[in-house]
Amino acid sequence: VVTEEATVIVDATATIDPVCGFDTYIAPFCPVSRSVVGAAYQPFERGYMVWREDTRQIYVLYLTGRYQIFDDTWSGQGIDIETPPDGLITPQRGFGWLWANNDTIRQNVGWANGQEVSYTSAFEQTSEGNAYFTFPNGGLIGTSQGGRWLSPQP
């Protein structure tokens, strides 16, 4: 009887997911921070604006897939804006102030085409620096550090 001795080396690795500190989340994986805050939303001809009450920041989301974040500097002062074309709306408050005082934003998003809506939104930050939040209808928005945003349906 002939026997051969064999040595088998097994290289096995396992990935263990850390326990998430949140029971539910909207990001594709466990975020590093999560807050539920007051927000406002308004659709425009070529984009959207979303305001965060806790940070007083305005997210300007362009239909090109780019976005910018601005501090809300409106403090109740009057806003001089010309009359909008038929069927379109003049943005008010913080959105209107930013829109009226920034030609680039005004040219890129156009006029508002829906009313401003107040709502409560979840805002989450991931370890990669991406942020996720919701529109009033529950639509999910994801933003990246590279200045891009994407949404299945706003």
Side-chain angles (χ1 to χ4, degrees):
V1 173
V2 177
T3 62
E4 293 183 22
E5 190 175 310
T7 303
V8 177
I9 300 172
V10 177
D11 182 15
T13 58
T15 302
I16 300 171
D17 290 329
V19 176
C20 183
F22 305 101
D23 292 334
T24 61
Y25 46 89
I26 59 174
F29 49 87
C30 186
V32 294
S33 68
R34 181 175 205 280
S35 55
V36 177
V37 301
Y41 159 87
Q42 188 164 26
F44 287 76
E45 293 175 290
R46 296 178 295 280
Y48 311 93
M49 287 192 193
V50 176
W51 173 77
R52 280 185 70 157
E53 182 178 35
D54 63 333
T55 61
R56 291 193 45 87
Q57 291 180 313
I58 298 172
Y59 288 67
V60 180
L61 307 163
Y62 304 104
L63 291 184
T64 61
R66 305 292 300 171
Y67 78 95
Q68 293 178 289
I69 302 172
F70 297 90
D71 291 331
D72 177 8
T73 59
W74 181 67
S75 58
Q77 64 273 44
I79 304 169
D80 289 329
I81 302 176
E82 69 260 25
T83 303
D86 287 342
L88 298 174
I89 300 167
T90 302
Q92 301 296 312
R93 292 180 285 284
F95 293 158
W97 181 257
L98 179 61
W99 186 88
N101 290 291
N102 189 312
D103 290 338
T104 302
I105 291 173
R106 193 169 51 257
Q107 291 167 6
N108 286 326
V109 297
W111 290 90
N113 58 9
Q115 294 296 330
E116 181 178 320
V117 176
S118 295
Y119 69 110
T120 300
S121 178
F123 278 86
E124 298 176 354
Q125 189 83 28
T126 66
S127 59
E128 289 79 21
N130 298 332
Y132 296 86
F133 56 94
T134 54
F135 274 148
N137 67 359
L140 177 65
I141 299 298
T143 63
S144 71
Q145 287 185 326
R148 310 271 318 153
W149 70 277
L150 100 97
S151 168
Q153 283 295 327

